[in-house]
Amino acid sequence: MVISGPSGVGKSTIAHEVVDRTDAEFSVSATTRPPRPHEKDGRDYLFVDRETFEKMIADGELLEWAEVFGELYGTPAGPVRTAIEQGGTILLDVDVQGGKQVHRTMPEATFVLILPPSDEELARRLRGRGSENEQQVRSRLAKAQEEIAFADAEGIYNYRVVNDRLEDAIDAVSEIVTQTETSGT
Ligand code: ADP
Ligand code: 5GP
């Protein structure tokens, strides 16, 4: 199952809670961006340098990858294949370009778009997270509308969840996981 949405909307918060509360597992992406203070290598991301990431691409280890905000992000294919073979659900937190690539190879997967209750609230969350400088916050906010418009134009997202009250959003995504448990992704 793919979860996308603008930076700061709450995707990773929701995804980790849903993984704790359901049988779904989290697909740990590789990235060249540096870790945030609370992030753990191997749990939130596999933090790698550009050379290692490029080798992963060359070796065909990634199901999809994209450059987002100047850094590389990609989904290791192995855990996704294993989850599908075992009939489990794996949650991919990927940007809309990644969602499009997954849709090309796995159109039967479930695609969930997480939306902010308002632009102002999205800005508050991004600033509140405190992990980007003001310039980076602005570039993420400027990209938010573009990403939502791209997701709408592609028409691949089966569900839209507004992350207003966090508990409600976690419940909604957990419910979608339970409903789609047979489809694997
Ligand atoms: P993303 O993974 O989409 O970039 P995060 O999960 O890092 O977003 O969330 C961004 C910030 O917003 C974090 O500080 C998180 O604690 C906070 N947050 C997430 N969901 C909510 C919510 N429903 N209400 C208020 N704050 C939230
Ligand atoms: P962040 O740096 O805030 O954790 O993530 C920035 C963006 O990269 C988010 O939109 C997130 O969904 C996306 N992202 C994280 N992992 C992957 C991945 O493996 N592939 C793609 N395409 N995007 C990813």
Side-chain angles (χ1 to χ4, degrees), residues 40-88:
K40 270 187 30 203
D41 190 32
R43 185 193 73 132
D44 298 285
Y45 282 104
L46 302 166
F47 295 100
V48 299
D49 57 22
R50 229 165 224 270
E51 198 186 327
T52 307
F53 196 100
E54 279 161 7
K55 188 166 185 311
M56 292 172 92
I57 299 174
D59 292 346
E61 285 175 25
L62 300 177
L63 178 68
E64 62 75 38
W65 66 274
E67 181 155 355
V68 191
F69 307 119
E71 302 286 356
L72 300 173
Y73 294 83
T75 305
V80 176
R81 295 217 177 94
T82 305
I84 292 171
E85 276 163 22
Q86 295 176 348

Side-chain angles (χ1 to χ4, degrees), residues 7-169:
S7 177
V9 74
K11 297 179 300 295
S12 67
T13 308
I14 294 170
H16 281 106
E17 284 296 325
V18 169
V19 162
D20 283 349
R21 298 179 196 194
T22 67
D23 292 336
E25 65 173 298
F26 184 65
S27 159
V28 180
S29 296
T31 184
T32 58
R33 93 149 157 71
R36 295 177 186 143
H38 68 282
E39 286 180 331
K40 270 187 30 203
D41 190 32
R43 185 193 73 132
D44 298 285
Y45 282 104
L46 302 166
F47 295 100
V48 299
D49 57 22
R50 229 165 224 270
E51 198 186 327
T52 307
F53 196 100
E54 279 161 7
K55 188 166 185 311
M56 292 172 92
I57 299 174
D59 292 346
E61 285 175 25
L62 300 177
L63 178 68
E64 62 75 38
W65 66 274
E67 181 155 355
V68 191
F69 307 119
E71 302 286 356
L72 300 173
Y73 294 83
T75 305
V80 176
R81 295 217 177 94
T82 305
I84 292 171
E85 276 163 22
Q86 295 176 348
T89 299
I90 183 158
L91 242 58
L92 278 61
D93 171 349
V94 302
D95 84 313
V96 289
Q97 309 169 68
K100 184 178 176 177
Q101 291 181 60
V102 175
H103 189 262
R104 262 196 226 125
T105 44
M106 298 178 189
E108 70 289 355
T110 302
F111 296 80
V112 182
L113 189 65
I114 311 287
L115 297 167
S118 67
D119 295 348
E120 292 73 26
E121 177 59 19
L122 181 64
R124 235 187 325 271
R125 287 184 196 169
L126 265 179
R127 295 201 167 97
R129 184 167 72 187
S131 49
E132 288 84 23
N133 64 34
E134 187 55 26
Q135 192 196 337
Q136 289 169 319
V137 166
R138 280 171 198 245
S139 114
R140 285 171 185 241
L141 288 174
K143 190 102 194 298
Q145 289 310 322
E146 225 178 275
E147 287 171 314
I148 295 168
F150 182 89
D152 282 336
E154 292 298 327
I156 63 174
Y157 289 87
N158 316 102
Y159 295 93
R160 268 146 215 273
V161 173
V162 177
N163 179 20
D164 190 352
R165 263 193 72 234
L166 180 59
E167 277 301 315
D168 293 344

